[in-house]
Amino acid sequence: MFNSTWSPTGNFFNSTTPGAPAGPPPWYQYHMCSVAPYGYVFYFLLKILNLFVGTPCNILVIWQIISKKSDASTSDTFILNLAILDAFFCLMTPLDMINRLLLGDSNFWFFLKFTYGVKDFAPLFLVCICLDRYIAVVHPVLFTSVRDNKIRIGTSVAVWGFVLAYGVAKSLLDEVSASAIFSGVILFAFAVMVFCNIAIIWVLRRSVAGKEVMHPVKKRAFKTVVNILVIIVVNYLPAVTLMPFVPYYTLVQYHCQVTTSVFALMDMSCSLEPLLYITKMEIKCCGRSLSEKPEEVRV
């Protein structure tokens, strides 16, 4: 007979059958998901993609921002922190797989839940980027008075406080309570990001009405907000549309299909965010710029 050890959250960790694998197959976390494992297949395929694509891309973004000596964007502080968070989460994939396949350590699972909690609150840094761009474009006079990078460093420290606090809470709270907090934060972050980006696009489009060419600085800001909108729609819109209907899902639908798909798409931001940043950043090699045209002013 197949006997198993379960965590307090219902996770399936270790088998006591002689000669049996140390843990469940990696494509499902709950025993009930054995009838519908495809959500977990999708989830872990994207985690492997993040490991091999997201990790080097985020490291490149970190190196590029740290190595800048001038001409830095005011949002680079938030982008740097987001890249550090995403790189950390990508590097947790091997530990996650080792624990699921070999160790089956229930104590280590609490640490993994902490890392998932940290990633859940990553959109707060996107909110900071959107607000920074919003003030720069929509309220330029106010922006000149808040250009001091110390303000952004202080904001980043505060955001890290929320991120780490939720990570600890998620590792200790039951899944229902953690999901309620997560849903509230995602709804808030999504609403703020959509508002900021629509306002920015509206102002930029209105400023070039009747003109044939957009100013290079405004064109760069326009591309930035479009990239952020892509991230919002692809990675976070599914969470906003699906998570509020949790009471209406069956256990199999919720644990095996909805949550795995939503978190898989959110985790994909670990690769999408740095890739979009890399496509618009100026990389210097052997003293020469690899971008087409360096920009004189950045906001």
mmCIF file of all heavy atoms in Angstrom, residues 161-186:
data_model
loop_
_atom_site.group_PDB
_atom_site.id
_atom_site.type_symbol
_atom_site.label_atom_id
_atom_site.label_comp_id
_atom_site.label_asym_id
_atom_site.label_seq_id
_atom_site.Cartn_x
_atom_site.Cartn_y
_atom_site.Cartn_z
ATOM 1 N N GLY A 161 10.458 45.688 2.813
ATOM 2 C CA GLY A 161 9.867 45.359 4.104
ATOM 3 C C GLY A 161 8.543 44.634 3.933
ATOM 4 O O GLY A 161 8.291 43.603 4.582
ATOM 5 N N PHE A 162 7.686 45.152 3.021
ATOM 6 C CA PHE A 162 6.407 44.494 2.742
ATOM 7 C C PHE A 162 6.624 43.121 2.116
ATOM 8 O O PHE A 162 5.937 42.149 2.457
ATOM 9 C CB PHE A 162 5.566 45.355 1.804
ATOM 10 C CG PHE A 162 4.941 46.549 2.465
ATOM 11 C CD1 PHE A 162 5.340 47.830 2.129
ATOM 12 C CD2 PHE A 162 3.951 46.399 3.427
ATOM 13 C CE1 PHE A 162 4.775 48.945 2.735
ATOM 14 C CE2 PHE A 162 3.366 47.496 4.042
ATOM 15 C CZ PHE A 162 3.789 48.777 3.693
ATOM 16 N N VAL A 163 7.587 43.037 1.181
ATOM 17 C CA VAL A 163 7.851 41.779 0.480
ATOM 18 C C VAL A 163 8.286 40.688 1.451
ATOM 19 O O VAL A 163 7.761 39.563 1.439
ATOM 20 C CB VAL A 163 8.927 41.992 -0.613
ATOM 21 C CG1 VAL A 163 9.429 40.662 -1.154
ATOM 22 C CG2 VAL A 163 8.377 42.851 -1.752
ATOM 23 N N LEU A 164 9.266 41.008 2.294
ATOM 24 C CA LEU A 164 9.782 40.023 3.241
ATOM 25 C C LEU A 164 8.742 39.660 4.299
ATOM 26 O O LEU A 164 8.645 38.492 4.705
ATOM 27 C CB LEU A 164 11.056 40.549 3.897
ATOM 28 C CG LEU A 164 12.241 40.795 2.947
ATOM 29 C CD1 LEU A 164 13.417 41.409 3.691
ATOM 30 C CD2 LEU A 164 12.663 39.502 2.257
ATOM 31 N N ALA A 165 7.967 40.654 4.744
ATOM 32 C CA ALA A 165 6.930 40.380 5.745
ATOM 33 C C ALA A 165 5.887 39.423 5.188
ATOM 34 O O ALA A 165 5.456 38.483 5.877
ATOM 35 C CB ALA A 165 6.271 41.684 6.188
ATOM 36 N N TYR A 166 5.491 39.628 3.932
ATOM 37 C CA TYR A 166 4.502 38.720 3.345
ATOM 38 C C TYR A 166 5.101 37.337 3.109
ATOM 39 O O TYR A 166 4.424 36.320 3.263
ATOM 40 C CB TYR A 166 3.968 39.273 2.025
ATOM 41 C CG TYR A 166 3.004 38.324 1.355
ATOM 42 C CD1 TYR A 166 1.710 38.148 1.849
ATOM 43 C CD2 TYR A 166 3.391 37.575 0.245
ATOM 44 C CE1 TYR A 166 0.831 37.258 1.252
ATOM 45 C CE2 TYR A 166 2.511 36.690 -0.361
ATOM 46 C CZ TYR A 166 1.238 36.540 0.151
ATOM 47 O OH TYR A 166 0.369 35.645 -0.435
ATOM 48 N N GLY A 167 6.393 37.303 2.738
ATOM 49 C CA GLY A 167 7.050 36.008 2.552
ATOM 50 C C GLY A 167 7.024 35.184 3.829
ATOM 51 O O GLY A 167 6.719 33.984 3.806
ATOM 52 N N VAL A 168 7.316 35.835 4.963
ATOM 53 C CA VAL A 168 7.260 35.140 6.251
ATOM 54 C C VAL A 168 5.836 34.729 6.573
ATOM 55 O O VAL A 168 5.570 33.605 7.030
ATOM 56 C CB VAL A 168 7.828 36.043 7.366
ATOM 57 C CG1 VAL A 168 7.615 35.402 8.735
ATOM 58 C CG2 VAL A 168 9.313 36.307 7.137
ATOM 59 N N ALA A 169 4.882 35.638 6.320
ATOM 60 C CA ALA A 169 3.480 35.342 6.605
ATOM 61 C C ALA A 169 2.982 34.166 5.767
ATOM 62 O O ALA A 169 2.267 33.292 6.273
ATOM 63 C CB ALA A 169 2.618 36.577 6.345
ATOM 64 N N LYS A 170 3.374 34.120 4.498
ATOM 65 C CA LYS A 170 2.903 33.034 3.637
ATOM 66 C C LYS A 170 3.455 31.692 4.098
ATOM 67 O O LYS A 170 2.793 30.656 3.959
ATOM 68 C CB LYS A 170 3.293 33.285 2.182
ATOM 69 C CG LYS A 170 2.794 32.201 1.233
ATOM 70 C CD LYS A 170 2.803 32.618 -0.210
ATOM 71 C CE LYS A 170 2.201 31.531 -1.079
ATOM 72 N NZ LYS A 170 2.030 31.953 -2.484
ATOM 73 N N SER A 171 4.671 31.690 4.635
ATOM 74 C CA SER A 171 5.264 30.431 5.090
ATOM 75 C C SER A 171 4.602 29.916 6.362
ATOM 76 O O SER A 171 4.713 28.736 6.691
ATOM 77 C CB SER A 171 6.760 30.609 5.330
ATOM 78 O OG SER A 171 6.999 31.497 6.406
ATOM 79 N N LEU A 172 3.880 30.810 7.069
ATOM 80 C CA LEU A 172 3.267 30.427 8.340
ATOM 81 C C LEU A 172 1.748 30.340 8.285
ATOM 82 O O LEU A 172 1.145 29.535 8.987
ATOM 83 C CB LEU A 172 3.672 31.427 9.435
ATOM 84 C CG LEU A 172 5.176 31.559 9.713
ATOM 85 C CD1 LEU A 172 5.426 32.653 10.736
ATOM 86 C CD2 LEU A 172 5.763 30.234 10.191
ATOM 87 N N LEU A 173 1.116 31.187 7.438
ATOM 88 C CA LEU A 173 -0.337 31.223 7.383
ATOM 89 C C LEU A 173 -0.899 30.053 6.587
ATOM 90 O O LEU A 173 -0.189 29.418 5.801
ATOM 91 C CB LEU A 173 -0.807 32.533 6.744
ATOM 92 C CG LEU A 173 -0.555 33.831 7.526
ATOM 93 C CD1 LEU A 173 -0.979 35.025 6.692
ATOM 94 C CD2 LEU A 173 -1.307 33.817 8.856
ATOM 95 N N ASP A 174 -2.184 29.797 6.780
ATOM 96 C CA ASP A 174 -2.850 28.805 5.951
ATOM 97 C C ASP A 174 -3.061 29.382 4.552
ATOM 98 O O ASP A 174 -2.994 30.599 4.340
ATOM 99 C CB ASP A 174 -4.195 28.407 6.565
ATOM 100 C CG ASP A 174 -5.140 29.594 6.674
ATOM 101 O OD1 ASP A 174 -5.066 30.309 7.709
ATOM 102 O OD2 ASP A 174 -5.913 29.840 5.743
ATOM 103 N N GLU A 175 -3.324 28.495 3.601
ATOM 104 C CA GLU A 175 -3.376 28.902 2.199
ATOM 105 C C GLU A 175 -4.518 29.872 1.916
ATOM 106 O O GLU A 175 -4.385 30.780 1.089
ATOM 107 C CB GLU A 175 -3.520 27.665 1.298
ATOM 108 C CG GLU A 175 -3.404 27.978 -0.173
ATOM 109 C CD GLU A 175 -3.299 26.723 -1.012
ATOM 110 O OE1 GLU A 175 -3.093 25.642 -0.438
ATOM 111 O OE2 GLU A 175 -3.427 26.833 -2.240
ATOM 112 N N VAL A 176 -5.647 29.732 2.588
ATOM 113 C CA VAL A 176 -6.795 30.607 2.351
ATOM 114 C C VAL A 176 -6.463 32.046 2.733
ATOM 115 O O VAL A 176 -6.732 32.991 1.983
ATOM 116 C CB VAL A 176 -8.029 30.118 3.129
ATOM 117 C CG1 VAL A 176 -9.180 31.104 2.974
ATOM 118 C CG2 VAL A 176 -8.454 28.733 2.647
ATOM 119 N N SER A 177 -5.849 32.232 3.902
ATOM 120 C CA SER A 177 -5.490 33.578 4.361
ATOM 121 C C SER A 177 -4.447 34.207 3.449
ATOM 122 O O SER A 177 -4.548 35.394 3.087
ATOM 123 C CB SER A 177 -4.960 33.528 5.796
ATOM 124 O OG SER A 177 -5.929 32.999 6.683
ATOM 125 N N ALA A 178 -3.434 33.425 3.060
ATOM 126 C CA ALA A 178 -2.392 33.944 2.175
ATOM 127 C C ALA A 178 -2.969 34.333 0.821
ATOM 128 O O ALA A 178 -2.599 35.355 0.238
ATOM 129 C CB ALA A 178 -1.291 32.900 2.010
ATOM 130 N N SER A 179 -3.903 33.513 0.297
ATOM 131 C CA SER A 179 -4.519 33.804 -1.004
ATOM 132 C C SER A 179 -5.344 35.076 -0.951
ATOM 133 O O SER A 179 -5.386 35.842 -1.918
ATOM 134 C CB SER A 179 -5.397 32.630 -1.442
ATOM 135 O OG SER A 179 -4.617 31.480 -1.665
ATOM 136 N N ALA A 180 -6.007 35.325 0.184
ATOM 137 C CA ALA A 180 -6.813 36.541 0.322
ATOM 138 C C ALA A 180 -5.926 37.784 0.283
ATOM 139 O O ALA A 180 -6.248 38.778 -0.386
ATOM 140 C CB ALA A 180 -7.606 36.496 1.626
ATOM 141 N N ILE A 181 -4.791 37.737 0.988
ATOM 142 C CA ILE A 181 -3.856 38.869 0.976
ATOM 143 C C ILE A 181 -3.293 39.062 -0.425
ATOM 144 O O ILE A 181 -3.225 40.182 -0.941
ATOM 145 C CB ILE A 181 -2.720 38.637 1.988
ATOM 146 C CG1 ILE A 181 -3.279 38.538 3.412
ATOM 147 C CG2 ILE A 181 -1.684 39.760 1.900
ATOM 148 C CD1 ILE A 181 -2.244 38.153 4.443
ATOM 149 N N PHE A 182 -2.898 37.960 -1.052
ATOM 150 C CA PHE A 182 -2.326 38.013 -2.390
ATOM 151 C C PHE A 182 -3.314 38.625 -3.382
ATOM 152 O O PHE A 182 -2.954 39.497 -4.185
ATOM 153 C CB PHE A 182 -1.939 36.604 -2.833
ATOM 154 C CG PHE A 182 -1.666 36.477 -4.303
ATOM 155 C CD1 PHE A 182 -0.487 36.960 -4.847
ATOM 156 C CD2 PHE A 182 -2.590 35.863 -5.145
ATOM 157 C CE1 PHE A 182 -0.240 36.842 -6.208
ATOM 158 C CE2 PHE A 182 -2.345 35.740 -6.495
ATOM 159 C CZ PHE A 182 -1.170 36.233 -7.026
ATOM 160 N N SER A 183 -4.576 38.193 -3.338
ATOM 161 C CA SER A 183 -5.586 38.699 -4.276
ATOM 162 C C SER A 183 -5.784 40.195 -4.104
ATOM 163 O O SER A 183 -5.887 40.937 -5.085
ATOM 164 C CB SER A 183 -6.918 37.965 -4.057
ATOM 165 O OG SER A 183 -6.786 36.587 -4.319
ATOM 166 N N GLY A 184 -5.819 40.658 -2.843
ATOM 167 C CA GLY A 184 -5.985 42.082 -2.592
ATOM 168 C C GLY A 184 -4.833 42.904 -3.134
ATOM 169 O O GLY A 184 -5.041 43.956 -3.761
ATOM 170 N N VAL A 185 -3.604 42.433 -2.933
ATOM 171 C CA VAL A 185 -2.429 43.167 -3.410
ATOM 172 C C VAL A 185 -2.375 43.176 -4.936
ATOM 173 O O VAL A 185 -2.068 44.208 -5.556
ATOM 174 C CB VAL A 185 -1.145 42.546 -2.820
ATOM 175 C CG1 VAL A 185 0.105 43.134 -3.495
ATOM 176 C CG2 VAL A 185 -1.076 42.782 -1.328
ATOM 177 N N ILE A 186 -2.679 42.051 -5.566
ATOM 178 C CA ILE A 186 -2.651 41.977 -7.027
ATOM 179 C C ILE A 186 -3.690 42.909 -7.630
ATOM 180 O O ILE A 186 -3.425 43.612 -8.628
ATOM 181 C CB ILE A 186 -2.878 40.526 -7.497
ATOM 182 C CG1 ILE A 186 -1.627 39.705 -7.240
ATOM 183 C CG2 ILE A 186 -3.224 40.476 -8.984
ATOM 184 C CD1 ILE A 186 -0.408 40.146 -8.035
#
